[in-house]
Amino acid sequence: MKPAKPSSATMDEQTFVPPTMRALYYTPLPTIPNDPTAVSSQTSITFDTDFPVPKPSPAQYLIKVQTAAFSHDEVRLAGLLNPTQSMPQIPLHNVCGTVISTPSQDHWNAEGPKFKVDDVVFGLVSYSRDGAAADYVLAYEDELAFKPRNISAAEAATIPLPALTAWQAIFTYAGLDDNPDRNTSNGKRKHLRVLVTNAYNNEVGMQAIQLLRSKSLFPNQHRPWICVTCSSPEEEFALRQNHHVDETIVAPLPVDPSFDLATPFRSNRWDPVDIALDCADGLLFHQAHSPHVVKNHGAVLTAVDSTPAQTQQHTEKDDKGKRGLFSRFIAVEPDGHALGRIASLVEEQALRGRVESIVDLVNGADILDAGAAGANGARRGGMFVVRVN
């Protein structure tokens, strides 16, 4: 590898990168016997100690992975986030690691690339490429931010996907302005009301609450009203005590078929919300479309239900006709600028990640194959960390 400008420290001197690395990757299971035309849609995960190290393009960084993370919701929805990904596919797109080489196209710029060799970064790698369950991963500048200095590499890896999903739900899909000095034309910023389902047990929900309670984003005069659903009185207490939510509804998952989300709104005379962020799936997502729960022309957004991803947009109706609800699956996109804002919130102690468990890369296949353990439970949105280097 060539250094940057002769007087620059953009790259170190001839950084050694081995030709192969350890990696986890998905491979298709064998096709049906005696049917050579059949294509299997099922995959298995393989641990390989001799996988080729990826070669960066002139615009890419090579990152030595310290930690990577995933949730079972993410694994379940990976095909929707990028249905055209070919095999083999290295999973785990949340990453924290060290810059090993920088984009060659930036080496002769006056300031060189944004991130230098030995910088520790975190980010969300696009689902259109291989992820970070390996010793090395490739990333573009707009997928990365500097790792917050006050948290571990394990915690840093748990933040990009859920925090960006929550950020994009609030500021992209729901259309709010992320600058507290500016108000939206429809006044949502000043009197914002938000519902978050399965808030305590899903990292997207927890990140959303932390963003909504950040004084940098929502000063006291714009403090949102937050209502959450959770699974137990203990979770209810923690959400009120630690995150200062305004109202709580106990609705354990899986939700009882007789439960009606609109009932507590009616009985407590709560006004409908502007935004419902679904982190539960199924019944709660569909009930959030009630006129008692979300106001006309509000947003019902889901981080876990694939149906809106396939219908793209859907308008609910009541007896008076169209209500104009914007109902969508949040197809999260890498965003280095937003992630930099999120990193600042972490350093301000306004936002933190949560580590469900930590395993070494060699044991990562076991926890990924055990996805069924999180398939129907409330904690399927919890973040599992894989320690790589």
Side-chain angles (χ1 to χ4, degrees):
M1 283 181 265
K2 296 180 179 179
K5 299 173 65 176
S7 59
S8 168
T10 302
M11 298 187 68
D12 63 1
E13 294 181 4
Q14 301 299 319
T15 302
F16 173 75
V17 178
T20 61
M21 64 180 181
R22 300 171 304 155
L24 296 173
Y25 61 89
Y26 289 110
T27 55
L29 291 175
T31 55
I32 300 172
N34 303 321
D35 186 359
T37 64
V39 178
S40 173
S41 61
Q42 301 298 312
T43 60
S44 64
I45 189 97
T46 299
F47 176 68
D48 192 343
T49 60
D50 199 31
F51 198 87
V53 171
K55 302 297 182 184
S57 74
Q60 290 177 320
Y61 291 86
L62 181 65
I63 308 297
K64 186 172 185 178
V65 179
Q66 293 183 20
T67 53
F70 73 97
S71 72
H72 288 297
D73 271 334
E74 175 193 3
V75 173
R76 180 173 58 86
L77 294 167
L80 289 172
L81 293 169
N82 185 55
T84 61
Q85 176 70 52
S86 60
M87 294 294 177
Q89 177 189 3
I90 299 176
L92 281 54
H93 290 75
N94 293 272
V95 61
C96 177
T98 305
V99 174
I100 295 299
S101 73
T102 55
S104 59
Q105 68 181 20
D106 294 335
H107 289 180
W108 295 91
N109 293 343
E111 298 180 356
K114 177 178 179 179
F115 305 106
K116 315 299 185 186
V117 165
D118 289 336
D119 282 344
V120 181
V121 294
F122 75 138
L124 180 67
V125 176
S126 171
Y127 287 87
S128 64
R129 305 194 315 279
D130 280 338
D135 285 318
Y136 298 93
V137 67
L138 300 178
Y140 289 96
E141 186 170 293
D142 61 2
E143 298 170 334
L144 301 170
F146 290 107
K147 170 190 164 293
R149 292 165 291 184
N150 59 331
I151 61 173
S152 67
E155 183 180 345
T158 70
I159 292 174
L161 175 69
L164 284 174
T165 302
W167 182 282
Q168 290 170 20
I170 297 167
F171 298 118
T172 302
Y173 285 82
L176 269 67
D177 196 320
D178 62 5
N179 186 330
D181 297 325
R182 296 192 294 259
N183 282 313
T184 57
S185 59
N186 59 12
K188 279 184 181 179
R189 193 68 158 92
K190 190 171 182 179
H191 305 291
L192 182 68
R193 298 173 64 83
V194 181
L195 168 70
V196 182
T197 65
N198 192 27
Y200 188 83
N201 285 320
N202 187 288
E203 284 308 292
V204 174
M206 287 300 295
Q207 296 290 351
I209 291 170
Q210 292 179 88
L211 291 175
L212 292 166
R213 282 291 175 257
S214 163
K215 292 184 178 180
S216 296
L217 296 173
F218 295 90
N220 288 336
Q221 66 270 29
H222 299 308
R223 187 179 189 272
W225 182 87
I226 304 174
C227 177
V228 299
T229 74
C230 55
S231 294
S232 69
E234 291 77 17
E235 293 177 5
E236 188 178 29
F237 177 81
L239 287 162
R240 287 183 178 272
Q241 184 77 12
N242 301 328
H243 300 285
H244 311 291
V245 302
D246 297 282
E247 300 293 348
T248 56
I249 302 168
V250 177
L253 298 183
V255 177
D256 189 292
S258 65
F259 178 82
D260 179 19
L261 184 58
T263 297
F265 274 81
R266 289 195 302 264
S267 61
N268 291 288
R269 297 185 179 182
W270 297 333
D271 290 335
V273 300
D274 302 281
I275 305 168
L277 176 57
D278 168 53
C279 302
D281 199 359
L283 187 63
L284 287 180
F285 168 68
H286 293 290
Q287 290 185 356
H289 292 79
S290 164
H292 297 286
V293 178
V294 177
K295 64 174 58 176
N296 290 350
H297 305 290
V300 184
L301 305 171
T302 176
V304 297
D305 194 318
S306 62
T307 304
Q310 299 174 24
T311 58
Q312 294 301 311
Q313 181 172 346
H314 127 145
T315 303
E316 292 289 323
K317 299 183 180 181
D318 61 12
D319 294 338
K320 298 179 181 178
K322 293 184 177 180
R323 296 190 54 228
L325 294 186
F326 182 65
S327 181
R328 286 291 300 270
F329 169 72
I330 306 161
V332 65
E333 296 285 345
D335 184 340
H337 175 72
L339 194 58
R341 297 279 301 275
I342 290 164
S344 296
L345 293 175
V346 174
E347 294 190 338
E348 293 170 11
Q349 305 288 338
L351 185 148
R352 294 298 297 264
R354 287 191 301 184
V355 178
E356 181 79 3
S357 68
I358 302 177
V359 299
D360 289 321
L361 180 65
V362 67
N363 299 318
D366 295 335
I367 193 170
L368 283 165
D369 279 339
N376 296 308
R379 288 299 293 153
R380 69 186 189 191
M383 298 300 291
F384 298 81
V385 174
V386 173
R387 181 170 44 212
V388 181
N389 292 297

